[in-house]
Amino acid sequence: MGAKDNTHRPLDWIDEQLEALAQQGLRRELIARHGPQTARLVIDGRELINFGSNDYLGLAADPRLSAAVVEAVDRDGLGSGASPLITGFAEEHDRLQRRLAQFEGTEAALLFPSGFAANVGTIAAVVGPGDVVFADRKNHASLWDGCRLCRADVRVYPHNDWQQLDKLLAKAAHYGRRLIATDSLFSMEGDLAPLDRLVDVARRRDAMLLVDEAHATGVFGKQGRGVAEHLGVEDQIDIRIGTLSKALGSIGGFVAGSESLVQWLINKARPYIFSTALPTIVATAATVALDIVRQQPQRRKRLLQRAGQLRVTLADQGWNTGASASQIIPLIMGDPFHVVQLAKQLRQRGLLVPAIRPPTVPEGEACLRISLTAGHTAEMITQLIETLAELKPI
Ligand SMILES: *Cc1c(COP(=O)(O)O)cnc(C)c1O
């Protein structure tokens, strides 16, 4: 009995469920790359052009970041050893938080272990039972999980439909606090939130506005602060979330806003309080990345120009690029099997373009997602265009 009882297999359901996912073309698997993450990747000994990266400014393997980290790690070591409120918080974190606040033009900023943790922790800290959150249907998973955890009521509004949101808010006056939560640049379709409208609705209906700029920080706006800057409304966004892990080339999330917001999060955001502080070398690297964002605006300008040209070319080829207005360009196909098949064919030809399937996108919206970065050369983009033309189903 006990260990020898091979009739007791309580995890058998997992194999059945995995098989069911595979049958639907929805099973996901890890592929390990070899070497650094740049515009080229080596997978299974084969070099591929990488159109699947969030490293929008090409900083993830930038020698300036690596050099700063190498120097810092000799001095400071690796681990932070504890959560920030115990002994994990260091001068390097403090310096980066000040730099982030300066960059964002806010009173204060707070570092989280990840952008995911920043979203979950912040939403759950600012609303609770008796309150309500209004969430765009296409928000990122981390905003959803924040909504689930916060125990406030959650109302979903149709994607970017600020008029519908306004109507929902009109019926929400009886709630304690009202929070609107949205991505600024939606990660699947690459389209932008109408932040100018949302700001207006939030004001009129006395709601707080939380904007997640994960894909836009470093890319959009004159100073690279994101879509809020691009649309000229940044001073009217109450809670700004960003990540160090995409355009800034490293890891970690942050919240920027008023001093009191940050003080409240230090006291109430559980992923902040109960997770170990980021390594200080990460903070050092991110500080260097912020310098590059400030000193090299041409990186983001050229990236968005090239993305605009690519969108036009792909639309001319007959691809459905949805409402993309950014460096993220989907080729929406609908059927997950077709998407996976095309991704395979591209890969055979040396191009890595990820297949995005439900539940990451709604049923019927499976797509290939092209992420353009500053590391892509004109030749790489041409190769993508020519290969897609060749493979396009009629
Ligand atoms: C990637 C992403 C996050 C999570 O950021 P990490 O730092 O990778 O945890 C949050 N929100 C959006 C919109 C994202 O795309």
Side-chain angles (χ1 to χ4, degrees):
M1 297 306 283
K4 285 195 182 125
D5 176 9
N6 53 12
T7 59
H8 180 65
R9 295 204 213 93
L11 298 185
D12 271 3
W13 63 271
I14 293 180
D15 292 324
E16 288 159 23
Q17 295 285 317
L18 284 173
E19 184 49 33
L21 285 175
Q23 293 291 331
Q24 298 163 272
L26 297 180
R27 179 157 178 187
R28 302 151 183 248
E29 281 174 81
L30 287 170
I31 345 169
R33 63 157 208 272
H34 168 82
Q37 182 331 126
T38 66
R40 289 186 199 278
L41 287 185
V42 177
I43 292 173
D44 287 339
R46 174 118 194 267
E47 193 176 87
L48 300 168
I49 304 177
N50 174 13
F51 288 102
S53 166
N54 303 322
D55 178 26
Y56 299 124
L57 296 180
L59 296 181
D62 189 287
R64 289 166 289 185
L65 271 66
S66 318
V69 165
V70 168
E71 195 206 320
V73 78
D74 280 342
R75 189 182 56 231
D76 304 332
L78 176 61
S80 278
S83 63
L85 286 167
I86 307 298
T87 57
F89 189 60
E91 287 166 359
E92 288 79 5
H93 300 120
D94 192 37
R95 195 173 311 135
L96 175 58
Q97 286 181 172
R98 288 169 201 277
R99 283 292 312 276
L100 284 166
Q102 199 180 32
F103 171 70
E104 295 282 344
T106 54
E107 283 175 12
L110 189 67
L111 283 170
F112 278 76
S114 69
F116 201 112
N119 276 334
V120 169
T122 302
I123 293 179
V126 300
V127 285
D131 301 330
V132 59
V133 191
F134 297 88
D136 188 290
R137 190 175 74 91
K138 294 203 173 172
N139 274 350
H140 188 261
S142 54
L143 290 170
W144 285 117
D145 285 7
C147 289
R148 287 196 184 121
L149 271 175
C150 72
R151 294 185 297 149
D153 282 354
V154 179
R155 300 270 177 275
V156 182
Y157 62 90
H159 182 48
N160 280 345
D161 190 341
W162 56 273
Q163 287 163 310
Q164 195 58 36
L165 169 65
D166 189 51
K167 281 184 196 149
L168 290 171
L169 265 160
K171 290 182 266 178
H174 59 286
Y175 282 103
R177 290 194 282 265
R178 288 157 293 281
L179 173 71
I180 303 168
T182 184
D183 288 22
S184 70
L185 195 178
F186 288 87
S187 48
M188 293 306 137
E189 209 168 320
D191 57 328
L192 309 185
L195 294 181
D196 44 351
R197 299 291 195 172
L198 296 181
V199 156
D200 185 47
V201 171
R203 265 204 177 168
R204 208 146 27 81
R205 302 291 183 191
D206 189 26
M208 304 176 280
L209 179 56
L210 178 152
V211 175
D212 176 0
E213 297 262 27
H215 290 277
T217 303
V219 178
F220 273 80
K222 237 191 171 97
Q223 311 295 323
R225 293 172 187 160
V227 177
E229 186 197 13
H230 174 66
L231 296 175
V233 294
E234 47 181 338
D235 54 338
Q236 295 170 73
I237 307 243
D238 309 299
I239 304 173
R240 279 192 257 161
I241 311 272
T243 180
L244 307 175
S245 61
K246 290 173 180 157
L248 297 178
S250 125
I251 185 81
F254 66 90
V255 178
S258 70
E259 180 63 36
S260 38
L261 170 69
V262 164
Q263 290 301 320
W264 182 248
L265 295 177
I266 291 171
N267 283 275
K268 294 290 176 186
R270 292 165 63 84
Y272 182 80
I273 299 168
F274 294 104
S275 241
T276 300
L278 287 169
T280 56
I281 56 171
V282 165
T284 302
T287 308
V288 175
L290 280 177
D291 285 339
I292 297 173
V293 167
R294 196 188 57 219
Q295 291 158 3
Q296 304 192 329
Q298 67 276 16
R299 274 182 188 251
R300 55 181 171 273
K301 266 191 221 154
R302 197 179 49 207
L303 171 63
L304 289 180
Q305 268 164 12
R306 286 195 164 159
Q309 290 159 357
L310 179 59
R311 272 197 308 276
V312 170
T313 307
L314 293 173
D316 285 349
Q317 283 183 9
W319 296 98
N320 174 9
T321 60
S324 168
S326 70
Q327 77 281 14
I328 298 171
I329 307 172
L331 305 177
I332 302 167
M333 302 171 70
D335 180 349
F337 281 105
H338 286 158
V339 168
V340 170
Q341 198 190 4
L342 184 58
K344 257 190 207 149
Q345 291 173 317
L346 285 164
R347 200 152 150 206
Q348 284 159 0
R349 288 162 173 78
L351 298 162
L352 181 72
V353 187
I356 310 286
R357 294 165 283 175
T360 306
V361 289
E363 214 61 53
E365 292 179 29
C367 66
L368 281 183
R369 184 180 60 172
I370 301 164
S371 295
L372 214 56
T373 76
H376 290 123
T377 61
E379 290 72 31
M380 289 172 174
I381 299 171
T382 303
Q383 191 176 334
L384 174 68
I385 291 168
E386 287 173 357
T387 312
L388 280 170
E390 184 193 321
L391 294 176
K392 175 142 195 357
I394 332 126

